[in-house]
Amino acid sequence: ASSGLSSATSQTLVLEQLEKVLRPNDYTVSKQLQEFFANLSTVSQDPSDLAARHIAIDSGKAVANSIRTVATGILDLRKLVRDNIDANVIDFNNKIVALNNIQKEILGNTSAKSTPNDLFDQRDALLKDLSEIAAISVDYQKNGSVKVTMGTSGQAQTLISGLTYKKLHVEQVDGSARIFLKSDEGPSKATIQIKSGEIAGNLAADVTLKESKKSLDNLTKRLVDEFNELHKFGVDLDGEQGQDFF
């Protein structure tokens, strides 16, 4: 439950910021486009009206600036999310090491009954913290130790068992963050699917940001290509052939 809440919270925080980027004080890209085409309509009614032509040109510049502002905002948010993921992974790995140290102390006792309760309290606190960062499954052993696994059902991988443990590792693959599981003993790594927790929320937010940027790029390319093509068919007040507008 805590991992699900952490996932939703981290994702929501980013999406709220994305909404502010896409809808800044009502001056959205959509509104700028509407004003631009309205001004073009005014020019079409009287092409010799120089004031109307300048207003249309300025309106076109406003569209371009609006698109650039949104694109920059999305890229800045993606950097923030990536930094958050990096921080999540570092925090998670530090807690795994701390949990492993406690596990050593617990296994160093002659029996689970002889283990001080404060060690179990520390262990359980770390497990709770870990579950908020990324969803984990915990199997309590008779000797007082725990076996911690993570990943989707049927594909769970062992994170810590006995005195051995693995850490999370983040890489950028095809422009998106990917999480891997690896030990300190070798270069091998395995892809891990994180179901919930802060990392999962940030990964989901990054996907949304990537899709938003792609949609904006597609809109911009279509606008530039189609409008420039039409603009070249026309002539200016001097009878000269039109050039690219954007």
Side-chain angles (χ1 to χ4, degrees), residues 11-234:
Q11 185 176 3
T12 299
L13 288 174
V14 175
L15 296 184
E16 287 176 349
Q17 294 180 67
L18 175 60
E19 184 176 7
K20 293 178 181 178
V21 168
L22 297 177
R23 304 177 63 85
N25 301 321
D26 294 331
Y27 284 98
T28 63
V29 172
S30 176
K31 185 173 182 179
Q32 296 284 9
L33 282 170
Q34 290 174 10
E35 292 183 359
F36 176 51
F37 287 117
N39 291 328
L40 288 175
S41 178
T42 300
V43 172
S44 69
Q45 295 171 22
D46 184 5
S48 64
D49 187 340
L50 294 180
R53 295 171 74 91
H54 285 301
I55 291 174
I57 291 173
D58 288 341
S59 184
K61 292 178 179 178
V63 169
N65 288 334
S66 178
I67 291 174
R68 278 194 292 268
T69 298
V70 171
T72 299
I74 293 175
L75 292 175
D76 287 344
L77 278 178
R78 288 203 75 189
K79 183 180 184 307
L80 173 64
V81 169
R82 289 177 180 180
D83 289 344
N84 287 343
I85 293 172
D86 288 340
N88 289 153
V89 168
I90 291 173
D91 192 20
F92 190 90
N93 288 339
N94 287 339
K95 286 178 168 54
I96 281 294
V97 173
L99 179 61
N100 183 66
N101 290 334
I102 290 177
Q103 187 109 303
K104 288 179 181 178
E105 291 190 54
I106 291 175
L107 292 175
N109 288 279
T110 55
S111 68
K113 292 182 179 180
S114 65
T115 301
N117 287 331
D118 66 320
L119 278 180
F120 289 127
D121 292 340
Q122 293 177 49
R123 179 199 65 189
D124 293 342
L126 284 170
L127 290 171
K128 180 178 181 298
D129 291 343
L130 286 168
S131 68
E132 292 177 354
I133 302 173
I136 58 173
S137 296
V138 182
D139 185 14
Y140 293 88
Q141 308 295 308
K142 292 182 179 180
N143 59 4
S145 68
V146 291
K147 179 180 180 181
V148 181
T149 57
M150 67 186 310
T152 55
S153 179
Q155 297 180 333
Q157 299 186 52
T158 301
L159 186 64
I160 183 169
S161 179
L163 298 179
T164 62
Y165 66 93
K166 294 180 179 179
K167 293 181 178 179
L168 297 185
H169 176 68
V170 60
E171 291 183 8
Q172 294 298 320
V173 180
D174 297 328
S176 297
R178 292 278 298 276
I179 305 297
F180 298 91
L181 198 61
K182 62 181 298 186
S183 67
D184 291 333
E185 299 176 356
S188 62
K189 60 187 179 182
T191 302
I192 188 75
Q193 298 295 326
I194 299 179
K195 299 179 292 183
S196 56
E198 293 178 18
I199 293 179
N202 281 316
L203 288 172
D206 190 52
V207 170
T208 300
L209 291 170
K210 184 178 181 180
E211 292 174 349
S212 298
K213 181 62 166 57
K214 182 179 180 180
S215 296
L216 180 65
D217 289 345
N218 290 338
L219 168 66
T220 303
K221 186 177 187 306
R222 182 177 178 183
L223 171 66
V224 170
D225 290 347
E226 294 184 7
F227 193 88
N228 283 346
E229 183 177 358
L230 289 172
H231 197 257
K232 289 177 182 178
F233 280 120

